[in-house]
Amino acid sequence: MLLIIRCFIFNKLDNSVGLGGIAMIIVKIGARIRELRKSQDLSQEKFALKADIDRTYLAGIESGKRNPSIKNLEKIINTLGISFHQFFEGM
């Protein structure tokens, strides 16, 4: 999983990942989660319950204010019912 994320970061940000690049990727990940969650017509509360994470934590991730751990990102992606590849493919 970490390899997939590293490949995504380096390919999308032209090997210039600094603090600004990391912040940008966190915002993109949050936006992608929100997009996919809404496409399944799930509220943050229902989705967080299904993913076994706190709703306020999910809200922070979606707004780009929280940096999800790999473990929590895996929970979210599994709850969305897609693969890591599919998740990053649309970004």
Side-chain angles (χ1 to χ4, degrees), residues 1-6 8 29 32 36 69-78 80-91:
M1 286 182 278
L2 187 56
L3 179 60
I4 293 169
I5 293 169
R6 279 189 183 151
F8 171 78
I29 287 172
R32 180 70 169 151
L36 294 169
S69 68
I70 298 296
K71 194 172 201 172
N72 284 323
L73 188 57
E74 180 179 31
K75 283 181 173 182
I76 290 167
I77 290 172
N78 287 339
L80 290 167
I82 61 175
S83 68
F84 266 78
H85 175 76
Q86 290 168 315
F87 179 81
F88 287 105
E89 186 176 56
M91 293 176 66

Side-chain angles (χ1 to χ4, degrees), residues 57-68:
Y57 179 67
L58 176 63
I61 293 170
E62 287 187 357
S63 66
K65 295 177 183 169
R66 300 289 306 258
N67 184 3

